[in-house]
Amino acid sequence: MAARITARRPSPERRRTARMTSSDWANPYGVRKPYGSNGANHGDGGEKGATLSADHPLVPWKQPDHVHQWVDVDHSREELDRFVRNWPDLGELLDANVGHGRVVIVSGPPGMGKTTLIHRCLYEVQQRVAATGPSAGDPLAVFVPTAGLENDGRRISVDPDGSFAPTRLINARIRSEITKKLLLHEFSESRVRAITAEEDPYQAYGEMSDLLVQRNALLFAVIPHIRWNDAHLRAAFLRTCLSHAHTRIVLFVEVSHGAAETAREVAAALSGSAAVTHLALRELNSEDIWRFSRSARAANGAPNGLVEPDRSSLMAAHDEWKPSDVRELRKVFHSAADALRRAPHPWPIDADALRPHWERRRAGRDALLRHPILPRSGG
């Protein structure tokens, strides 16, 4: 068993300056959900004293202050920068002569922050459309998270009896979610209903593209992790997405995979296509723990009641803890901060503070990973 890591306790002076009360505390590692009693319906800053969730995708395009809670871990900054560099200008996205839309694949192990990265990319897209839109007639940007902001892929990947759905049904459900949002934006109901009823997916998305051109609109649809059981099914679905990405349609597709399957293999079926951008998240390292400890802070103006994290202790903790993903990282830090809130004196976030919480989760770590759904015959 690894030796316990001890850290300096804060001086009495630091304890006094860091003292907190239950009335002014907000967990610095919490995330405010974009909907509900503590969400965006109370304004960008959220309701004072709102309870923050231990884990939730950061959604800056729905709640702008979440940009400031975004933490640069698991190479997400590198991938975001690559997305921004490779993203076409607005004119290319709107040009009907281009003949195709875009597919953005975000791959990596489960829980590694893919959904949050997608929402961060959407925020960048939203800012660009707002900045350059006047010169293009202010196009309408329609954002559709097809399975909700919590990335519940089961919502579209199982059939009514709970079995793994065939690709035909999955595609139909994704298209149904898109057409619901088009109706909310007052697109022609008869045209949208015709798209929903069209049996040929390629033809349906072609008609959708024509409708977007007529309304000077852009569609950004997020397709969550669908729990594909093997690379063949996954590659077939990605090829389908590429064929459906007509002019003015941008699909963000999240692909989870295990450590034995590289990001290159996940996107191999689409390699060489100019319409594809591939963003790959990788494993955490000790520097990621340090970045997270310092950067993850509630963005609702609440005081940070914790003593400054201990860098050397956290860097060393990586070898003992070996957090499997960003979700585990956030939940352990959130749990430790809650415990420190109830301590007689504020202590720093260090290995000693985190250890009981990561050890408690270690036994159930497998539950953090999304297990594949067994496919039904022919699915």
Side-chain angles (χ1 to χ4, degrees):
M1 181 176 176
R4 286 180 63 85
I5 302 170
T6 59
R8 289 183 295 105
R9 297 303 178 193
S11 67
E13 175 66 22
R14 294 185 74 187
R15 292 180 189 176
R16 285 194 296 272
T17 59
R19 193 174 302 278
M20 68 207 80
T21 67
S22 58
S23 63
D24 65 9
W25 167 269
N27 194 311
Y29 301 102
V31 178
R32 186 170 54 258
K33 295 184 179 181
Y35 295 123
S37 61
N38 62 350
N41 54 332
H42 291 291
D44 290 346
E47 186 179 48
K48 181 176 175 56
T51 301
L52 304 182
S53 172
D55 182 61
H56 197 276
L58 297 174
V59 192
W61 59 274
K62 279 287 185 185
Q63 195 159 325
D65 65 344
H66 278 182
V67 170
H68 307 295
Q69 285 189 265
W70 189 65
V71 186
D72 178 18
V73 295
D74 61 37
H75 310 277
S76 52
R77 168 57 66 181
E78 297 173 26
E79 299 308 302
L80 178 63
D81 289 346
R82 177 140 55 118
F83 172 81
V84 172
R85 286 196 309 270
N86 295 340
W87 197 241
D89 60 33
L90 185 60
E92 182 179 333
L93 288 177
L94 297 174
D95 188 355
N97 295 321
V98 171
H100 62 73
R102 306 283 305 191
V103 174
V104 180
I105 301 172
V106 181
S107 67
M112 201 56 75
K114 297 182 297 298
T115 305
T116 289
L117 177 58
I118 287 174
H119 292 317
R120 190 68 173 84
C121 291
L122 286 174
Y123 175 78
E124 296 296 329
V125 167
Q126 189 180 53
Q127 297 303 298
R128 288 195 175 197
V129 172
T132 60
S135 62
D138 287 322
L140 169 67
V142 180
F143 298 94
V144 186
T146 60
L149 297 174
E150 293 192 52
N151 186 35
D152 181 10
R154 291 183 66 99
R155 179 168 148 188
I156 61 174
S157 63
V158 295
D159 63 15
D161 66 10
S163 300
F164 189 83
T167 55
R168 176 189 56 78
L169 180 57
I170 291 172
N171 276 304
R173 286 186 169 173
I174 290 171
R175 200 191 331 156
S176 175
E177 292 298 316
I178 292 173
T179 53
K180 286 179 188 176
K181 185 57 69 75
L182 293 179
L183 288 174
L184 289 177
H185 284 280
E186 300 182 349
F187 280 74
S188 166
E189 183 172 355
S190 60
R191 293 284 302 277
V192 171
R193 297 297 183 196
I195 291 170
T196 306
E198 174 61 57
E199 293 186 4
D200 181 354
Y202 186 84
Q203 180 68 24
Y205 279 91
E207 293 175 6
M208 189 184 299
S209 177
D210 291 342
L211 191 57
L212 293 167
V213 171
Q214 290 179 14
R215 277 288 304 273
N216 191 26
L218 281 160
L219 171 69
F220 300 92
V222 181
I223 301 172
H225 168 56
I226 302 180
R227 305 187 183 188
W228 299 112
N229 294 78
D230 59 59
H232 174 73
L233 281 174
R234 188 162 41 237
F237 182 75
L238 291 175
R239 281 195 296 270
T240 301
C241 287
L242 184 60
S243 69
H244 291 172
H246 291 250
T247 300
R248 295 185 179 233
I249 296 175
V250 182
L251 303 178
F252 287 82
V253 185
E254 179 180 341
V255 180
S256 292
H257 58 82
E261 186 180 20
T262 68
R264 187 181 301 276
E265 290 169 329
V266 170
L270 301 180
S271 62
S273 172
V276 177
T277 300
H278 180 206
L279 310 178
L281 297 180
R282 288 162 279 171
E283 296 178 353
L284 297 169
N285 56 38
S286 58
E287 191 68 29
D288 287 327
I289 295 180
W290 171 243
R291 286 195 191 114
F292 186 88
S293 71
R294 289 184 53 81
S295 301
R297 292 292 183 268
N300 63 351
N304 172 21
L306 297 178
V307 176
E308 182 75 7
D310 186 279
R311 178 184 174 89
S312 60
S313 175
L314 288 174
M315 297 286 281
H318 177 264
D319 294 333
E320 182 183 352
W321 175 9
K322 292 184 174 63
S324 60
D325 53 51
V326 177
R327 178 174 292 112
E328 182 179 352
L329 197 68
R330 183 178 294 281
K331 288 185 175 182
V332 167
F333 270 85
H334 185 277
S335 179
D338 265 349
L340 292 176
R341 171 190 180 186
R342 296 186 292 270
H345 304 286
W347 304 117
I349 286 284
D350 59 12
D352 286 340
L354 295 170
R355 185 176 291 103
H357 305 279
W358 85 57
E359 288 180 343
R360 191 179 306 132
R361 298 191 65 83
R362 183 172 286 167
R365 180 175 282 183
D366 287 346
L368 293 173
L369 303 179
R370 301 185 180 92
H371 296 293
I373 302 171
L374 294 176
R376 67 179 184 181
S377 177

